[in-house]
Structure formats: C-alpha cells, structure tokens
Amino acid sequence: MRVPESWLREFVDLDWDIEQIAERLTFSGTSVEDILRPFNVSGEIITARVIERFDHPASEKLIVCRVDTGKRIYTVVTADKTVNEGDYVILALEGATLNNGFKIEPREFKGVISEGMLCSLEELGLEEKSDRVYRFPEPVELGVNVVEKYGLNERVLDIEITPNRPDCLSIIGVARELSALSGRPLKKPQPIVSFVDEDVQFDVKIEDVEGCPRYSARIMKGVTVKDSPLWMKARLVAAGVRSLNNVVDATNYVMIELGHPVHAFDLNRLKNKRIVVKSAKGGERVLLLDEKEYELKGGEVLITDGENVLALGGIMGGMESGVYDDTRDLVLEVAYFDPVRIRKAAKALGIDSESSYRFERGVDPNDVELVSLRLAELIQKLAGGYVLRKFWDVYPRKIEPKKVMLRKARIEKILGTKVEKPGDILRRLEFQVEDRGDSYEVLVPTFRPDVEREIDLIEEIGRIYGYEKVESKVISVPAINRGWSEKQLFRREISQFMKGMGFDEVVTFSFVDSLKVKKWPLVDREPIALSNPIASDMDVMRTSQFYSLIQVLAENFKRQNRDLKLFEIGKVYFKENGNFREIETLSAMSCGLENPGDYTDKRSVSFYTIKGVLDELFFRLGVNIEYRAAEIPGLFPTRSARIYVENREIGFIGMVDPKLLDEYDVKEDTYFFEIDMELLRKYASKRPAYRPTPRFPAVRRDISFLLPKGFESVKIIELFRESGGDLVEEVGVFDIYEGKGIPENMVSVTFYVVFRHSERTLTDEEVNKIFEEMVQKTEEEFGIRRRF
C-alpha cells in the first residue's frame, strides 16, 4: 500500500521525519519496503494566466501565447490550439524538469523563442495520457509553485501489509499505528454535512444476510460530475490510484483514507428505486465497470434493484448503474460483506479489485455511519448537491466486539520483560480496556479481526512497546538427542551424491493436476483429492514426483535452458486399502547435453547416462539390484525398467514418452527415475567391504553374439557369472553394432569377461577352455550364435 506522507500527518502530528516513521513502523511489524517519490518533477513550475494568444507566423500547427506569472510576462509556443486568452495554466520555466525527464530551456520554433512550456497533466505525472494543456477550472493566484502547493514533491511510504492486518489498508490505520508508537493523539475525521429533509421513494432489503450482514445507503441530489481538482488528482496518484471524475475519485479517496470500500450508484438508473441484496443462483450474466461481461458461478453477493443486477457486492460495480457525466442524483453504498464469500467469488471470476482486496481480508462492520458521512462530505465539497437526512441502515446480524481476558502476569512471562502500563498501549490502539486487578478485560475493536486470544493482545503490547527494548538472552535448552537422525544423515548423503553427479536440487509443490495423473499413471496408486484446491490444475496430491519435475523441466525448457539435470528428495502421497500413505522418494530427470560446459563433448543424455547415476549410487551403498524390462504408462516401451532388490520393487527408470513431452512442449529426449528412499535405506549396507589390490594379473576375453532386437543382454551376463564360478571377476557389454553385415532385426552385441585367480596366475589354456564352455552353453541355452 502507498501512503503519502502529507496525508498521514493530517491524522497524527509527529516530530519524526519520514525515515524515522519508516523505521518505527517496520520495527513494529508494518514493514516499509521503500520510500518513493511518485512525481519526477522539480524546478520552477508555477501558475500563470494567458493574456494574449495569436497564430504562429510561420506554422499552422503552432500558436504563440503571452503568459503572465504575476511578476513577469513570458512568451510561450504551444501546439494546443484550444488554449485561449484568460485561461489559468501551469507554466514550466527554464531549469524545470518534467515527469518524463525533459528539462526546460528556451527553444526556437521557426523564428519564435519559447521561454517555457505550458504543461499537461501527463507532463506532471498526473495522467498516463493527456491531449491538452491543463487549465484550472477557476481563477488561481499567479506565480504559485505548483510542485509545492499540490504535493508533487510528495514522498510516499510503500508499505507491505500482511493479510492478517486489514486495519492497516488505510491512511487512518497506519496513522493509528504511529499514534500508538509515538503517544501522540490520533485525529480522526469529523465529517460536517448539510442535510435537507425530503421524502423520496427508496428502500433497502437484505435477502442474503450471510453474505451481507450490513448494508447502508444515503441519497444525494443535484451533484455535478466533472473533473477533480488538482489537489485530489495529485493525492490519488501519489497513493497509486488513477483519477476519473470527482464522484468516483471521492469514493476512492474515502476507501484509501478509512479502509472501507464504498460505491456510488446513479439513482435515476435504478429502475425500481430500491436496493435488494441477494445471492446469485448461477448462470446470471453481468457487465461490470471493467467493461467485461461475467457469467456468475452461484453464491456471489449481488446488489440489485430487485430485478436487475447493479453490482457484484464487495467486488465491482455494474456498467448500467455507474456514475456518468449526466448523473445528478446518487445512492451512496457503504456495506459489510462476508470475507470468505468475497474471496471465493473474486477467485472464481478472476477479478482482482481494490474493493475485493480489502473486503476479503475483513473491513470494520461498525464504521459504516462514519464512512458514509465522510463520503457525503467529500462529494458535497467536490460536486455540490445536497444530502437527504434519512439514512437507510439495515443491520440484521450485528457483529459485536470480542471480549478477551488478559492476565497481567502472563504479559511479563511471555515478553520476558516488565512493560509499564500495558493497558495504555492497548488503549492507544483503540482497544477498550477495563482494569480488573490482576487482569484486564479487553474489548477488541471490530476493525481488528486478527485479534482473538490473550496471546494476540500480548503480541500487540510487545510490538508497540518495542521488541528491541527486550534484553537478549541466550536460550538454554537441554539436548534430548545427539544431533541429526540416521534418516536425516542418509537423506543428506544422497543429496550430496546427486549434486556431485552434476544434478541441481529442486523443491516443488506436492499438488499436481489430476488430469495428468489420470492420463499418465506412472505408478499404480490411488491419488488423494484436495477438498479445496488453490487452483484447478493443483487438485490432487502427487503420487509420483514425476509430475512436479516435468513441470519444472518444461518451464526451464521454454526459457531456453535446455541442458538440465534435476533431482528432488520429497514425499509422494496415495491411498492404500482406504488409508492415507506417504513415502519419501528420490527422483531425477535429465535432458540435453551430458556436459554442456565441454564444447568437445557432443553427447546427449541417454538411458545409460541416468542408469549410470543409479548404478554408481547402488554401488556406493552396497545395494545389489536387478533391472527388469517393463511397460510403464508415460515412459517409452523398450526403454523403461523396474528396479528390484531381493525380488522387491524399489523404483523404476525410463525414457519419457514423446507424446507426454509434446503436452509440455519439450522437444528433447528426457529420462527419469524414481527410487523409494525408505527401501533404499533399508537395503543399504554400511559400506562396501575393503578388498586389497590383486597380486595376480587378470585375463580378458571378448565374444560377439548375433542377438534378436529386444533380447535382454542381462541374461547372458548372469549366465557368464554363474558358469564361470569364482574365477569370473567382471562381466559386461563392450559394444553394440548394427549395420552392414548384420541381418535385419538383429544386433551384434560384444560381451567381455575378466578372469582372475586370487592365488596364482591363470594360463591361456585354462582360460580358453573355461571361456569356450561358457560360450557354448550360452548358444545352447538361448538358441543364438556367435558372430566371431
């Protein structure tokens, strides 16, 4: 929220400069993010009067004006041919700087020297776009510095208001904080309104009491809708609101000042001359002030005339009943709407307005009369007209202040220091406090919906008293354990391993899209649906981390970050036999180049890249695993496998199906694995056993087999290990070849076997004999033949 300094000082008289104000507010919990200067104007920018106007002698597009500042007459050239003699204008003289950074200096326009510039509101930073020089509607004193008089040198506090402090979404609310902090009195508005007695056909009825517990209306007649005066424009722009006209500006001004959104209807556009507040049934269509038509979902609070929708209560007014140039009579609405209903409606319709922003956090239901009078006073000042004495205030479900008991001893115990006169601190925050001896009976004002318990009151006392005054003490807590648990240490070890393998750790939401889970069920688990999801595409708990990681990968990919290695250690959730379960998993996803930092390495990530990461992890943990080919929805057939330890599935690995990748607009081969961390920890041994360096040399033999495509090479590796006995130290695949000389649908796979004896050197003869027996057994077992 943006709070202009001058506006703030109207309600509390402070000796502090703006930097001190910002510091005190921040220390008390109302964080000031920045001190802004919304207008980039400076120098001699003054009021003046056009006393002579004539055509430029050498240009049809320009005119020349003689402008009087009260001290001197200046010659000024302008392109605005609507400027006339007698107009009161704003003149920027040599040395002045305009809002767009333009510096004023004398300039020649086809033979005529212009000594200054007639300013539009755009050049002063008061409008986004202006099509004419600004003219004061009434005569003004000449030679007055506009920058100083109208606050264009204003400094503004940019304050971050937390959702639990709706009372600070107003100038008066921030002033109340400063009043409590400084001990200076709070000067609240005392509206002065002239009333007339006049009968009028009008009525207010609330049918939806739950959605709108209070609704008030006041009628004004004979107003004149026109441009707002310069002081109003400047103040609203400084507060971050665009100026429209005097009536609408008055409603925005009161909302910012008092924190209670209000609305003005054109009385003559109310067909039935009444207000009926009701709940939407769903399917109704309404055109709002943002010039968009919305179809209602049902449950929204509607302001109607009994038949026609006038506004979406607490969110935005309707186009048909708005204030226009020909509006003369007004209905001024000040109401209280249920925060939950406003929040749901605004989110469902995708509308974010200043009004809904405040109502969904909670405004004061009991300041309605003050707000209504202040609005009437301001409109009467800006637009004229008269106010009817009758005030329609329907309040069927009164909201009373909460009563909380506060123990005096509890204050010191919680804060760790003795606070003098804690009751006075609460009174300065406008709590009603009765001293009951050893405790206080506190009535919490209805503008503070966040204060409900004794501890909340203690927090109020502590932050106003100043936490910086509380003496710091070293907390002494007896240790109940020896530090990190075994599970935490294991998780850290796995995380460090993955980082060492070049992967970046991510932390993602546990909420995912049920449609994606249903379409691509990588794991056979029943998802857990959320009863109140924060978004339609985050409506179930993830059954696999795949759905989270693919989203991160896709977001990076479309930002041209396409060489990715991502991992996450997190939980997945599912239903099992009617019970809710959660397990921790390690998941990784990778695509792009293997080594993007090495320009000589052109290799892309492959199945064996990510499998190699797992193999290294299992080796370090001493886990003996087995890969079994599997068809997994979402992964590419023939390039995916389930992983087993002692015949128990521990995870899976594979290449992501290109059809799935197309849905995320990812154009690179992508690989993924997921491992159950609990099972991994269960099967991990302490460390691989130490083996001394072999004393005797190894003997290696290679053999190439012609295998049908799809044959599982692991079967040959296992057979070699079994038939070779203790002499076989290592078996693996050395090369894969398909091409010239290889029959169709066949592939040449070269295997290697390493033989070693622990106590002597093996001879070629005995190795050849054993190896030939192994090869023959393989050919017979699987019906294959050697290539060479």
Side-chain angles (χ1 to χ4, degrees):
M1 178 178 172
R2 288 168 54 155
V3 179
E5 180 185 7
S6 62
W7 203 346
L8 190 60
R9 291 186 185 276
E10 288 180 7
F11 297 108
V12 59
D13 185 17
L14 296 171
D15 294 333
W16 302 335
D17 60 27
I18 194 167
E19 284 78 13
Q20 290 173 304
I21 291 173
E23 181 181 11
R24 294 303 301 272
L25 283 173
T26 299
F27 274 119
S28 69
T30 308
S31 176
V32 177
E33 299 294 302
D34 201 359
I35 300 175
L36 309 173
R37 287 190 179 273
F39 307 107
N40 183 31
V41 294
S42 61
E44 199 170 0
I45 303 175
I46 58 177
T47 56
R49 180 172 178 268
V50 179
I51 59 172
E52 186 180 0
R53 170 208 186 275
F54 53 88
D55 293 336
H56 192 289
S59 175
E60 295 181 355
K61 296 182 179 181
L62 302 174
I63 61 171
V64 182
C65 298
R66 302 274 288 164
V67 185
D68 183 14
T69 65
K71 294 182 179 178
R72 181 185 158 186
I73 296 173
Y74 292 87
T75 299
V76 180
V77 176
T78 180
D80 185 354
K81 301 182 77 172
T82 64
V83 174
N84 290 312
E85 295 176 2
D87 285 344
Y88 286 84
V89 295
I90 297 174
L91 175 64
L93 296 174
E94 183 178 0
T97 300
L98 302 182
N99 194 64
N100 58 6
F102 184 76
K103 286 204 163 193
I104 303 298
E105 57 185 24
R107 294 180 63 195
E108 180 182 342
F109 292 91
K110 296 189 176 182
V112 179
I113 300 295
S114 181
E115 299 176 285
M117 180 176 177
L118 300 185
C119 297
S120 68
L121 294 185
E122 179 184 353
E123 284 144 353
L124 298 178
L126 294 172
E127 284 182 351
E128 291 183 4
K129 188 69 177 176
S130 299
D131 56 6
R132 61 194 288 268
V133 167
Y134 180 74
R135 273 148 280 191
F136 290 95
E138 304 290 341
V140 294
E141 182 183 352
L142 301 182
V144 174
N145 189 309
V146 171
V147 175
E148 295 178 0
K149 180 174 178 60
Y150 296 103
L152 302 186
N153 55 354
E154 179 81 271
R155 290 194 294 177
V156 175
L157 298 171
D158 185 9
I159 303 178
E160 180 185 4
I161 306 298
T162 54
N164 67 318
R165 292 300 306 276
D167 58 300
C168 286
L169 288 171
S170 63
I171 305 297
I172 194 73
V174 177
R176 184 187 296 114
E177 292 288 298
L178 289 170
S179 171
L181 290 166
S182 65
R184 297 293 182 92
L186 179 66
K187 296 180 282 187
K188 301 183 76 171
Q190 303 293 328
I192 300 174
V193 180
S194 299
F195 296 107
V196 299
D197 294 308
E198 181 181 314
D199 291 331
V200 65
Q201 179 191 348
F202 189 75
D203 192 25
V204 173
K205 181 180 180 182
I206 300 177
E207 293 180 359
D208 183 6
V209 175
E210 180 187 346
C212 178
R214 188 176 191 181
Y215 191 97
S216 76
R218 193 180 296 278
I219 291 179
M220 289 190 69
K221 289 191 171 184
V223 301
T224 301
V225 179
K226 57 184 179 181
D227 207 23
S228 289
L230 202 59
W231 69 267
M232 170 69 83
K233 288 177 177 288
R235 180 156 279 186
L236 286 178
V237 172
V241 177
R242 183 167 59 98
S243 173
L244 294 175
N245 60 53
N246 53 354
V247 173
V248 175
D249 288 356
T251 63
N252 286 328
Y253 191 96
V254 170
M255 177 187 69
I256 295 168
E257 183 175 81
L258 300 179
H260 199 133
V262 296
H263 191 67
F265 297 106
D266 187 327
L267 175 63
N268 297 313
R269 285 183 165 87
L270 272 62
K271 182 178 178 181
N272 297 317
K273 297 296 185 286
R274 62 174 178 161
I275 293 290
V276 179
V277 183
K278 57 176 65 176
S279 178
K281 296 178 181 178
E284 300 98 327
R285 302 190 72 86
V286 57
L287 181 64
L288 300 183
L289 288 172
D290 60 0
E291 300 183 2
K292 295 180 183 178
E293 187 176 58
Y294 296 89
E295 181 175 344
L296 304 183
K297 312 294 183 183
E300 297 92 343
V301 180
L302 300 182
I303 312 302
T304 74
D305 62 2
E307 299 176 13
N308 306 301
V309 177
L310 307 175
L312 201 54
I315 298 177
M316 190 175 291
M319 284 288 288
E320 301 301 325
S321 60
V323 174
Y324 296 93
D325 291 345
D326 61 350
T327 298
R328 294 294 174 263
D329 302 332
L330 302 172
V331 177
L332 306 182
E333 169 195 285
V334 184
Y336 173 78
F337 299 102
D338 178 66
V340 175
R341 292 276 295 277
I342 298 301
R343 171 75 173 171
K344 285 184 177 179
K347 292 292 287 183
L349 297 173
I351 302 175
D352 184 17
S353 67
E354 289 286 343
S355 179
S356 65
Y357 184 78
R358 287 167 170 78
F359 274 123
E360 67 190 27
R361 285 159 175 77
V363 301
D364 187 0
N366 294 318
D367 67 352
V368 164
E369 189 167 0
L370 168 65
V371 174
S372 181
L373 286 171
R374 176 61 173 144
L375 178 59
E377 176 190 45
L378 197 56
I379 293 178
Q380 200 167 51
K381 178 179 179 181
L382 298 174
Y386 57 94
V387 185
L388 272 61
R389 188 179 304 278
K390 185 172 182 180
F391 180 52
W392 288 265
D393 186 9
V394 182
Y395 199 179
R397 194 184 72 188
K398 190 166 185 180
I399 299 172
E400 301 285 356
K402 296 184 290 285
K403 183 184 292 184
V404 181
M405 296 303 297
L406 173 60
R407 294 165 288 178
K408 294 180 179 178
R410 189 71 175 164
I411 301 172
E412 184 174 350
K413 182 175 181 180
I414 293 296
L415 296 180
T417 189
K418 185 174 180 59
V419 178
E420 295 294 332
K421 299 181 179 180
D424 287 351
I425 291 177
L426 294 175
R427 291 185 187 97
R428 295 203 299 270
L429 290 169
E430 296 193 273
F431 291 78
Q432 294 181 36
V433 182
E434 291 290 334
D435 196 328
R436 303 296 188 191
D438 61 350
S439 64
Y440 294 109
E441 181 181 287
V442 182
L443 276 182
V444 180
T446 48
F447 60 75
R448 289 301 303 273
D450 59 307
V451 177
E452 297 181 334
R453 303 171 298 162
E454 180 184 54
I455 194 67
D456 297 329
L457 293 172
I458 296 173
E459 181 184 0
E460 292 298 299
I461 293 167
R463 68 183 188 82
I464 298 300
Y465 173 74
Y467 289 123
E468 70 278 5
K469 298 178 183 177
V470 179
E471 182 182 353
S472 299
K473 295 180 181 179
V474 177
I475 298 176
S476 177
V477 179
I480 59 175
N481 55 41
R482 293 175 294 175
W484 284 28
S485 67
E486 181 186 346
K487 184 176 181 179
Q488 290 171 323
L489 290 170
F490 183 75
R491 186 188 299 118
R492 184 178 66 174
E493 181 180 359
I494 300 302
S495 176
Q496 289 174 341
F497 167 81
M498 292 300 294
K499 293 171 185 175
M501 297 299 288
F503 283 72
D504 294 315
E505 186 169 13
V506 298
V507 179
T508 62
F509 282 117
S510 297
F511 312 134
V512 295
D513 189 347
S514 61
L515 297 177
K516 300 291 188 188
V517 175
K518 185 177 180 180
K519 185 173 182 180
W520 304 102
L522 275 80
V523 290
D524 185 17
R525 294 169 182 159
E526 182 183 354
I528 300 171
L530 300 176
S531 58
N532 186 25
I534 60 176
S536 60
D537 59 350
M538 302 177 76
D539 58 335
V540 296
M541 304 291 284
R542 65 187 178 195
T543 54
S544 165
Q545 290 188 98
F546 173 85
Y547 309 104
S548 303
L549 285 180
I550 189 66
Q551 190 66 45
V552 175
L553 184 133
E555 291 295 328
N556 276 273
F557 199 86
K558 67 182 171 184
R559 288 168 175 79
Q560 299 183 339
N561 183 17
R562 297 175 179 177
D563 300 316
L564 299 164
K565 291 183 178 179
L566 310 173
F567 85 95
E568 180 175 14
I569 298 175
K571 295 199 174 172
V572 298
Y573 311 84
F574 55 95
K575 285 183 183 178
E576 188 175 75
N577 299 324
N579 298 317
F580 295 112
R581 283 203 60 198
E582 61 179 58
I583 59 174
E584 190 172 56
T585 62
L586 162 68
S587 298
M589 186 172 286
S590 184
C591 69
L593 294 175
E594 274 204 25
N595 297 299
D598 183 356
Y599 70 91
T600 66
D601 189 348
K602 305 301 182 184
R603 294 175 301 157
S604 294
V605 169
S606 68
F607 179 87
Y608 295 102
T609 305
I610 201 160
K611 177 179 177 293
V613 174
L614 276 182
D615 288 342
E616 180 65 21
L617 175 64
F618 292 137
F619 172 76
R620 293 192 184 193
L621 295 176
V623 179
N624 295 316
I625 58 94
E626 177 187 356
Y627 296 96
R628 298 179 187 173
E631 291 192 8
I632 301 172
L635 301 184
F636 194 79
T638 73
R639 297 191 188 178
S640 56
R642 298 194 184 278
I643 306 168
Y644 291 85
V645 178
E646 297 181 4
N647 244 5
R648 185 172 182 180
E649 185 177 341
I650 194 175
F652 60 94
I653 182 174
M655 174 181 171
V656 182
D657 193 322
K659 296 177 183 177
L660 189 157
L661 293 176
D662 285 343
E663 295 186 11
Y664 290 91
D665 202 25
V666 175
K667 306 301 182 186
E668 291 274 357
D669 288 349
T670 301
Y671 299 86
F672 174 78
F673 71 70
E674 185 162 284
I675 302 296
D676 186 325
M677 283 281 286
E678 295 174 14
L679 291 178
L680 183 63
R681 186 162 65 93
K682 175 182 177 181
Y683 289 110
S685 61
K686 295 294 183 180
R687 280 292 177 270
Y690 168 75
R691 291 190 301 176
T693 302
R695 295 168 53 206
F696 300 97
V699 179
R700 171 171 166 156
R701 293 291 184 266
D702 295 348
I703 183 69
S704 294
F705 290 108
L706 283 172
L707 304 177
K709 287 186 177 179
F711 186 89
E712 295 181 15
S713 298
V714 68
K715 295 178 180 179
I716 296 176
I717 293 174
E718 290 173 352
L719 183 60
F720 277 1
R721 283 203 181 103
E722 291 173 5
S723 56
D726 295 339
L727 294 181
V728 174
E729 182 177 79
E730 186 179 350
V731 183
V733 174
F734 173 65
D735 183 46
I736 298 175
Y737 172 74
E738 51 184 320
K740 186 177 180 181
I742 304 299
E744 189 176 358
N745 295 323
M746 301 290 283
V747 62
S748 172
V749 181
T750 302
F751 297 84
Y752 69 88
V753 183
V754 177
F755 298 89
R756 192 194 304 269
H757 198 291
S758 60
E759 296 179 357
R760 62 183 177 83
T761 300
L762 292 171
T763 64
D764 285 338
E765 290 77 11
E766 59 183 320
V767 169
N768 290 340
K769 180 182 179 182
I770 296 171
F771 184 62
E772 181 60 30
E773 291 174 355
M774 293 167 62
V775 171
Q776 289 179 5
K777 186 174 182 181
T778 301
E779 290 176 324
E780 295 170 1
E781 180 85 18
F782 300 115
I784 59 176
R785 62 185 177 85
R786 71 186 80 186
R787 183 174 170 224
F788 52 79

